[in-house]
Amino acid sequence: MTHFADHLADKVCQTGNPTVLGLDPVLEYIPDSIIDYFKDQCGDAGLASGLALYEFNRRLIDSTADLIPAVKLQLAYYEQYGPHGLEALRQTIQYAHKKDMLVIADAKRNDIGSTAGAYAKAYLGSARLIDGTEQAAFDADAITVNAYLGLDGVRPFLDFCGEAGKGVFILVRTSNPSAGDLQDLILSDGRTVFEAMADHVAAWGKPYIGESGYSSVGAVVGATWPLQAARLRRLMPQTLILVPGYGAQGASADDAVCSFGPDGGGALVNASRSMMNAWKKHNLPIEQFDLAARQEAISMKNDLRQALERRAASSV
Amino acid sequence: MTHFADHLADKVCQTGNPTVLGLDPVLEYIPDSIIDYFKDQCGDAGLASGLALYEFNRRLIDSTADLIPAVKLQLAYYEQYGPHGLEALRQTIQYAHKKDMLVIADAKRNDIGSTAGAYAKAYLGSARLIDGTEQAAFDADAITVNAYLGLDGVRPFLDFCGEAGKGVFILVRTSNPSAGDLQDLILSDGRTVFEAMADHVAAWGKPYIGESGYSSVGAVVGATWPLQAARLRRLMPQTLILVPGYGAQGASADDAVCSFGPDGGGALVNASRSMMNAWKKHNLPIEQFDLAARQEAISMKNDLRQALERRAASSV
């Protein structure tokens, strides 16, 4: 039996790198050499598009798998290309597993209990096919979930965090500019809505705390809100935190490390656009996007390590 | 140029029936004759499963298209079968359009602006493929959205409600038992969280009000909470309301009509399991699930009409 948060902590320890590679590909990011190859090879433009997305992802994984513990796949970017896009998603998950990376499906799914059960089967479990065999449709290790519907909409995902060894990240404070429209509203008891969500997440995660001290029921807290992040870390001391917003969305490493625990663990910083388009920053030709992503992974690792050291020094 | 809410109002007027057929298929609902046919015909169990789902949907559409204005497809039930399930989704949407039904993608999608844009393209718009052509991946008329992330996560969907003539239904008060975990929290200004969401939805929808008097930016309000529904109807007088919870989830027609406007319009009642499994209630063999769904559609239409008449009589 594996435990998601423990497994992740081991991988972060091995690589010395608490980051996630965000694979949110669009065709516009892909070099002409790959685009032209699949356009020529394949008569069906939908299929060729899916194959090009997969090839782009495969090269990013190959160039970073020894440095980065996990990938995060933002499902919207696959869904916009239809079933062929979702086939690219499925193959990317398989390939990341082959390269020993953990996979987070950034799906932000949510529904009433029975339907949430079908989503949980789709991404963390399996469904019975027409011949009676079980098929894991997308087979991720963890999924992001929106808990506006409350516990019964979250329960089917939590159920996979026990013996099945999967993880869940529940949206608490998102990284986008209008996150506060709903999340910052003040409740009659003085908490904000996002703090009330944090209290739910901490409570729901209690049964799933592992040897690392963190629960496989995690939270999403944007790096773009460092003050809120520091407060949320205190409210959810044993919650694993997934931190979007670093890089292209404007948050710095010092912002991102606000979500780490006092032990320097318990959080995972995502970078998507800044990794996929790293060739621009590193002055490399687009054909070397994968090499550039590797350089960016090393630079991000150092950036976060230094920020954690600065934080540790300032809190002494 | 069409306007989603107006187009829907026309179709409700034509059919005299403010209902939606929920197509949330699982293989267990499908008669052996269909299952065996595709199992024998097709060596790939995933493909055979997708074909069986589509055939089930096609027969339900054929038997009800003259009675019911729209279908609602709950995406979880397709995603759990992987890319072949999503191909069944795509084909079902095409077939429903061929039979002149409107299509609501019950996706409950949500994300930061740039990613919400990709979801909006996937379900309401199109993406550019590798050969430069535009492909509408799933091509629905409307989508359900979770607005926990605030306006910038909703904006890309709203942008399709203008000239493109699409619709959006934002979760306000969901039909599930623990809806209140977050939605019922009381704010410092006395409103509940769901009322605050309703105020947002009413404001965001203002620019998209059509000739019917209703906006193409709608809300989801569960029929299982009639008191809250009546209050929400007053708070959002020009918001089109999608009403889940009738039938299998336990709400009656009298509960469901709480979401209708004083004009008897402005709402759409969904039935999924009670339609797909209507053969049980109507004492028909499972092979006649489509005929049973037709009987149930007529019975539901009458049930809602009578409830609307009772409400009108009691308010005189």
Side-chain angles (χ1 to χ4, degrees):
Chain A
M1 274 334 123
T2 56
H3 178 280
F4 176 74
D6 287 351
H7 189 177
L8 187 66
D10 285 348
K11 288 203 62 73
V12 168
C13 197
Q14 274 167 35
T15 55
N17 192 9
T19 67
V20 191
L21 167 63
L23 293 174
D24 309 350
V26 290
L27 292 173
E28 291 71 19
Y29 293 167
I30 303 180
D32 285 345
S33 57
I34 297 178
I35 294 290
D36 291 343
Y37 176 80
F38 288 104
K39 205 162 59 179
D40 292 348
Q41 195 198 45
C42 193
D44 179 323
L47 175 59
S49 302
L51 292 172
L53 297 176
Y54 172 63
E55 175 65 8
F56 179 70
N57 287 347
R58 198 188 59 72
R59 282 184 49 186
L60 287 168
I61 290 170
D62 277 344
S63 70
T64 58
D66 59 327
L67 291 174
I68 294 182
V71 292
K72 180 172 84 66
L73 301 137
Q74 175 44 270
L75 270 59
Y77 294 98
Y78 301 87
E79 291 175 46
Q80 69 178 335
Y81 296 108
H84 290 300
L86 288 142
E87 179 61 22
L89 173 75
R90 199 185 65 76
Q91 290 189 13
T92 301
I93 293 172
Q94 280 193 344
Y95 193 74
H97 279 153
K98 204 169 140 189
K99 294 286 168 169
D100 202 25
M101 295 177 101
L102 286 165
V103 175
I104 302 168
D106 195 354
K108 298 187 177 65
R109 294 301 192 260
N110 63 106
D111 218 295
I112 65 168
S114 50
T115 304
Y119 278 131
K121 282 186 187 180
Y123 296 100
L124 304 179
S126 62
R128 180 157 299 176
L129 295 186
I130 205 164
D131 63 352
T133 58
E134 289 281 325
Q135 174 193 259
F138 295 105
D139 203 22
D141 301 295
I143 185 172
T144 60
V145 166
N146 181 322
Y148 184 71
L149 281 80
L151 179 58
D152 70 53
V154 173
R155 169 63 58 204
F157 299 103
L158 301 184
D159 287 342
F160 279 95
C161 296
E163 290 217 342
K166 303 289 187 175
V168 173
F169 292 95
I170 297 172
L171 304 186
V172 172
R173 173 75 196 187
T174 56
S175 60
N176 57 315
S178 50
D181 282 358
L182 195 87
Q183 298 163 30
D184 280 0
L185 296 176
I186 310 284
L187 299 175
S188 59
D189 62 12
R191 294 179 302 168
T192 58
V193 167
F194 75 81
E195 288 167 346
M197 187 66 94
D199 288 341
H200 279 312
V201 172
W204 296 337
K206 277 242 163 68
Y208 306 103
I209 295 170
E211 292 172 10
S212 62
Y214 291 101
S215 174
S216 292
V217 178
V220 176
V221 177
T224 42
W225 309 101
L227 292 179
Q228 289 87 340
R231 171 148 180 70
L232 285 167
R233 177 34 86 198
R234 290 191 296 274
L235 283 177
M236 305 183 289
Q238 298 194 279
T239 299
L240 189 62
I241 298 182
L242 176 63
V243 185
Y246 174 89
Q249 287 182 60
S252 69
D254 290 309
D255 297 332
V257 299
C258 293
S259 284
F260 285 71
D263 62 348
L268 212 52
V269 182
N270 178 71
S272 303
R273 280 172 281 175
S274 57
M275 292 289 293
M276 293 185 293
N277 298 321
W279 59 274
K280 292 182 187 170
K281 175 178 161 191
H282 292 275
N283 292 316
L284 285 166
I286 187 171
E287 303 298 332
Q288 294 180 32
F289 69 95
D290 46 355
L291 177 64
R294 184 173 180 83
Q295 292 184 9
E296 180 61 17
I298 293 167
S299 136
M300 183 177 170
K301 172 182 171 171
N302 292 332
D303 200 21
L304 286 171
R305 186 175 45 75
Q306 287 161 15
L308 280 168
E309 285 167 6
R310 275 194 297 278
R311 191 185 69 155
S314 74
S315 68
V316 170
Chain B
M1 273 337 122
T2 55
H3 178 280
F4 176 74
D6 287 351
H7 189 177
L8 186 67
D10 285 348
K11 288 204 61 75
V12 168
C13 197
Q14 273 167 34
T15 55
N17 192 10
T19 67
V20 191
L21 167 63
L23 293 174
D24 309 350
V26 289
L27 291 173
E28 291 72 18
Y29 294 166
I30 304 180
D32 285 345
S33 58
I34 297 178
I35 293 291
D36 292 343
Y37 176 80
F38 287 104
K39 204 160 60 177
D40 292 348
Q41 196 198 44
C42 194
D44 177 323
L47 175 59
S49 302
L51 292 171
L53 297 175
Y54 173 63
E55 175 65 9
F56 180 70
N57 287 347
R58 197 188 59 73
R59 282 183 51 186
L60 286 167
I61 289 170
D62 277 345
S63 70
T64 58
D66 59 324
L67 291 174
I68 295 183
V71 292
K72 179 173 85 63
L73 302 137
Q74 175 43 270
L75 269 60
Y77 294 98
Y78 301 88
E79 291 176 42
Q80 69 178 336
Y81 297 109
H84 290 300
L86 288 143
E87 179 61 22
L89 173 75
R90 198 185 66 76
Q91 290 189 14
T92 301
I93 293 173
Q94 280 192 344
Y95 193 75
H97 280 154
K98 203 168 140 188
K99 294 286 168 168
D100 203 26
M101 295 176 101
L102 286 164
V103 175
I104 302 168
D106 194 354
K108 299 186 175 65
R109 294 302 192 259
N110 62 108
D111 219 294
I112 65 167
S114 50
T115 304
Y119 278 132
K121 281 185 186 179
Y123 296 100
L124 304 179
S126 62
R128 180 158 299 175
L129 294 186
I130 204 163
D131 63 352
T133 58
E134 290 281 326
Q135 174 195 262
F138 295 104
D139 203 21
D141 300 296
I143 185 171
T144 59
V145 167
N146 181 323
Y148 184 71
L149 282 80
L151 179 58
D152 70 52
V154 173
R155 170 63 59 205
F157 299 103
L158 301 183
D159 287 342
F160 279 96
C161 296
E163 290 217 341
K166 303 290 186 174
V168 173
F169 293 95
I170 296 172
L171 304 187
V172 172
R173 173 76 196 188
T174 55
S175 60
N176 58 314
S178 51
D181 282 357
L182 195 88
Q183 298 162 30
D184 279 1
L185 296 176
I186 309 286
L187 299 175
S188 59
D189 62 10
R191 295 179 301 168
T192 58
V193 167
F194 76 81
E195 288 167 346
M197 187 67 95
D199 289 339
H200 278 313
V201 171
W204 296 337
K206 278 243 162 69
Y208 306 103
I209 295 169
E211 291 172 10
S212 61
Y214 292 101
S215 175
S216 292
V217 179
V220 175
V221 177
T224 43
W225 309 102
L227 292 179
Q228 289 88 339
R231 170 145 181 73
L232 285 167
R233 176 36 83 201
R234 290 191 295 274
L235 283 178
M236 305 183 289
Q238 298 194 280
T239 299
L240 189 62
I241 298 183
L242 176 62
V243 185
Y246 174 89
Q249 287 183 59
S252 70
D254 290 309
D255 297 331
V257 299
C258 293
S259 284
F260 285 71
D263 62 349
L268 210 54
V269 182
N270 178 72
S272 303
R273 281 171 281 177
S274 57
M275 292 288 292
M276 293 184 293
N277 298 321
W279 59 274
K280 294 181 186 172
K281 175 178 162 190
H282 292 275
N283 292 317
L284 285 166
I286 187 173
E287 304 296 332
Q288 293 181 34
F289 69 95
D290 47 355
L291 177 64
R294 186 174 178 83
Q295 292 184 8
E296 180 61 17
I298 293 166
S299 137
M300 183 177 170
K301 172 182 171 171
N302 292 332
D303 200 21
L304 286 172
R305 188 176 44 75
Q306 287 161 15
L308 279 167
E309 285 168 7
R310 275 194 296 278
R311 191 185 69 156
S314 74
S315 68
V316 170

